[in-house]
Amino acid sequence: MTRDFKLDTILAHAGINSDEATGALASPIHFSTTYQHPEFGHSTGFDYTRTKNPTRATLEKTLAAIEKADYALATSSGMSAIILAFEIFPVGSKVVAARDLYGGTFRWFNDKEAEGRFAFTYTNTEEEMIAAITDETDIVYIETPTNPLMIEFDIEKVAQLAHEKGAAVIVDNTFYSPIYQNPIPLGADIVVHSATKYLSGHNDVLAGVVVTSNQDFYDRLFYNLNTTGPNLSPFDSYMLMRGLKTLKLRMEKSTENAKAVADFLESLPTVKEVLYTGKGGMISFKVADESKIPNIINTLDVFTFAESLGGVESLITYPTTQTHADIPSDVRASYGLTDDLLRLSIGIEDVDDLINDLKNALEA
Ligand code: PLP
């Protein structure tokens, strides 16, 4: 599948016709960890599954195509994708990052800062980020929109400045997915995903993706992946490929539902503020009375109280005690992630059921 086809076609065709031996339409799952060599000094191109696996390789072609990039690597989780991307940079590299980050990313950054592996400067807004990038900066790290405050960064603008200063740009594209954003053509050097979320879409696969069009970065990423082994398993590679086929349909329906839910939340006196960009299924909102949060969560019936996002089922998350619990409360409060904030991942259910569920819980 080449990236000249339109996105819908690339997604629908993920993995098909990949098996020349049988013509199987759906991609076979190659569980074999080792591969027979035809004769001494010859290889089929597959030797050992940590290095290359046919099912994973088929998935990676689709992932590169949908991100309009030359290369993709599928990893065992979003966190392993982020770590793989950072580990290609030297000890002591200076990082400018958006402050509002997934809590697990922040936890790893904090550990690395303490070890002296990387030095971080955190910024709250795009203007602050632009001011913080200097000739000393090695890496600029952006989650856009941010999690959970839903602040958007202009990747093109930031990447242009970063490149002028000699820094590489890494973008976490988990929230928008390639349906709403392709960071590589906008100037990002490396894109990472928690494919656990929208890309797989059914809350049943833990996976990550690293994408790049830079040959040197790819060589180093591949070397590290082969050396350290956080590869995606053949079964999960198949599951992710299967999920990708409906990515666009799921994203469109989640967005349609999320727009209606955001409008509804805006109309409620019990809701203080709604944070929604108008794209995708992620909405955060602040309630007028924080003490009602346990009751709101316990009253919901269609929404499931759980961590994670991007699946077909709607979830409600309380970042304070769940996804962002590793960020100290004073740090969270300093950038607006206050204890009155709830995060919704809007799925593909009937929108009236979603709204009635929220109405019931928020008006109680
Ligand atoms: N990036 C973002 C934006 C996330 O929300 C998450 C997980 O919630 C991750 C990365 C980490 O991904 P994973 O849980 O697949 O390791």
Side-chain angles (χ1 to χ4, degrees), residues 72-102:
L73 293 166
T75 66
S76 56
S77 70
M79 281 318 301
S80 65
I82 292 167
I83 293 168
L84 191 73
F86 272 86
E87 293 273 303
I88 65 169
F89 293 91
V91 171
S93 292
K94 295 187 173 56
V95 186
V96 172
R99 167 93 274 171
D100 184 29
L101 287 174
Y102 166 57

Side-chain angles (χ1 to χ4, degrees), residues 77-80 82 102 105 143 147 172 174-175 194-197 206-207 309:
S77 70
M79 281 318 301
S80 65
I82 292 167
Y102 166 57
T105 306
E143 258 184 34
N147 175 8
D172 182 332
T174 301
F175 268 35
S194 168
T196 315
K197 311 294 171 2
L206 184 74
L309 61 110

Side-chain angles (χ1 to χ4, degrees), residues 17 94 100 125 284 361:
N17 303 330
K94 295 187 173 56
D100 184 29
T125 61
S284 294

Side-chain angles (χ1 to χ4, degrees), residues 27-140:
S27 168
I29 307 178
H30 292 270
F31 285 116
S32 186
T33 51
T34 189
Y35 297 84
Q36 183 180 5
H37 299 303
E39 59 180 285
F40 189 78
H42 290 262
S43 162
T44 57
F46 296 94
D47 305 321
Y48 187 60
T49 209
R50 174 158 36 74
T51 312
K52 193 174 175 190
N53 170 279
T55 313
R56 198 171 69 236
T58 303
L59 164 69
E60 289 170 344
K61 268 194 213 158
T62 301
L63 293 169
I66 63 174
E67 275 295 17
K68 300 193 194 315
D70 290 343
Y71 305 105
L73 293 166
T75 66
S76 56
S77 70
M79 281 318 301
S80 65
I82 292 167
I83 293 168
L84 191 73
F86 272 86
E87 293 273 303
I88 65 169
F89 293 91
V91 171
S93 292
K94 295 187 173 56
V95 186
V96 172
R99 167 93 274 171
D100 184 29
L101 287 174
Y102 166 57
T105 306
F106 177 85
R107 178 172 56 200
W108 188 75
F109 283 1
N110 240 9
D111 288 351
K112 295 299 119 181
E113 176 117 58
E115 286 169 15
R117 176 68 178 86
F118 295 111
F120 291 89
T121 302
Y122 292 104
T123 60
N124 288 327
T125 61
E126 188 180 296
E127 290 67 38
E128 279 181 33
M129 178 170 271
I130 282 170
I133 300 170
T134 69
D135 293 335
E136 302 278 289
T137 309
D138 300 298
I139 305 168
V140 176

